[in-house]
Amino acid sequence: MFKRRNPKTYVQMATEMVYPRGGWRRAGTYVVHRLRRLPDQPQKIGRGTAAGMFVSFTPFFGFHFLSAAAVAWIIRGNILAALLGTFLGNPLTTPFIALTSVTLGRWMLGVEGALSPGGIFRAFARASEDLTHNITSIFTSQEAHWDGLYLFFHDIFLPYLVGGLIPGLIASVIVYYVTVPVIRAYHRRRAKLMAARIAKLRDEGALRTRAVPVEPAPLEGIATSDQDPPEETAPKKD
């Protein structure tokens, strides 16, 4: 009942991960709209969004949702806001995030050489293939090779993880102090509109009450237009 009439193909799913069907502007508007309407305190929503932003600077691709939920739970933020906050690390911003994090991390760890965003993602792809090969080798007669994964961890993954801490913290703090005032302003505006709507309904109810005439109840022993006059009885004779 809740399934799509025409299921998406894997190509469509992959394409929409890179470029949404409605465009990134519409996707960003949807994320902001969802964040504003979350039924929680602005501080918790801000902490959750900051957690999602921070996780976007980590190399745990494929586990950003779980990582963001864990970080939001630790700092007592809104978990749904954290999941929405991970969309800040989208295919448009991820190349810049990866290049900044890896470059800074290699400089901090003293690893020589520079890499391009394409080289970084190709290294992730090769590491994924090597990891898959080593896992399947447990159940087959193939030999596992760990040299490539060791080089990947030393040259790419560890610098990415270390170098993403500082810009991730800076970006998450900025996101927090931008999100909280926006959520507060939206909540105040929504409360004002709700109060105005309630006052309007009360005024309309009072007007209806005044417009309905109230007929007085007939008194006993007094004839009214809708009642027959009381019958006169003759006086009794002695």
Side-chain angles (χ1 to χ4, degrees):
M1 182 169 106
F2 297 100
K3 294 181 179 179
R4 294 175 60 92
R5 180 174 299 177
N6 299 318
K8 293 182 181 180
T9 63
Y10 291 107
V11 175
Q12 290 175 336
M13 293 180 184
T15 303
E16 291 186 7
M17 288 180 64
V18 178
Y19 188 81
R21 183 174 57 180
W24 282 111
R25 183 176 180 181
R26 183 177 179 183
T29 304
Y30 171 77
V31 171
V32 173
H33 178 71
R34 290 293 302 165
L35 283 173
R36 292 189 307 177
R37 295 183 65 87
L38 287 177
D40 208 341
Q41 300 175 2
Q43 294 86 349
K44 295 187 68 174
I45 297 175
R47 287 196 294 266
T49 309
M53 184 75 257
F54 176 76
V55 169
S56 298
F57 280 81
T58 63
F60 301 111
F61 296 109
F63 299 95
H64 278 179
F65 277 7
L66 295 177
S67 303
V71 173
W73 180 77
I74 292 172
I75 64 177
R76 296 183 180 180
N78 187 284
I79 294 179
L80 182 56
L83 301 183
L84 293 173
T86 57
F87 285 96
L88 297 174
N90 53 67
L92 294 180
T93 60
T94 298
F96 301 98
I97 292 174
L99 182 61
T100 302
S101 300
V102 172
T103 302
L104 181 60
R106 289 169 72 92
W107 174 77
M108 293 173 64
L109 296 175
V111 180
E112 297 181 356
L115 292 173
S116 64
I120 294 172
F121 293 120
R122 283 194 295 271
F124 269 94
R126 288 194 299 269
S128 178
E129 293 176 358
D130 291 343
L131 183 60
T132 303
H133 170 78
N134 291 344
I135 292 175
T136 55
S137 66
I138 299 175
F139 308 98
T140 61
S141 59
Q142 296 178 347
E143 184 179 356
H145 302 284
W146 297 99
D147 295 340
L149 289 174
Y150 174 78
L151 291 175
F152 166 77
F153 178 82
H154 181 268
D155 295 341
I156 304 295
F157 188 86
L158 185 59
Y160 198 140
L161 183 62
V162 174
L165 294 178
I166 296 177
L169 285 173
I170 295 174
S172 60
V173 169
I174 293 174
V175 166
Y176 174 81
Y177 283 104
V178 170
T179 303
V180 172
V182 172
I183 301 299
R184 282 178 178 168
Y186 176 78
H187 285 182
R188 285 195 296 267
R189 179 174 174 269
R190 190 176 181 183
K192 187 182 295 185
L193 291 175
M194 185 65 67
R197 189 177 301 174
I198 292 173
K200 183 179 178 181
L201 292 174
R202 286 178 179 174
D203 294 341
E204 291 178 354
L207 290 175
R208 291 195 194 99
T209 303
R210 293 183 190 140
V212 175
V214 178
E215 296 182 358
L219 299 177
E220 296 181 0
I222 299 179
T224 59
S225 59
D226 296 334
Q227 295 176 341
D228 296 332
E231 297 180 357
E232 296 182 359
T233 56
K236 296 183 180 179
K237 295 182 180 180
D238 295 337

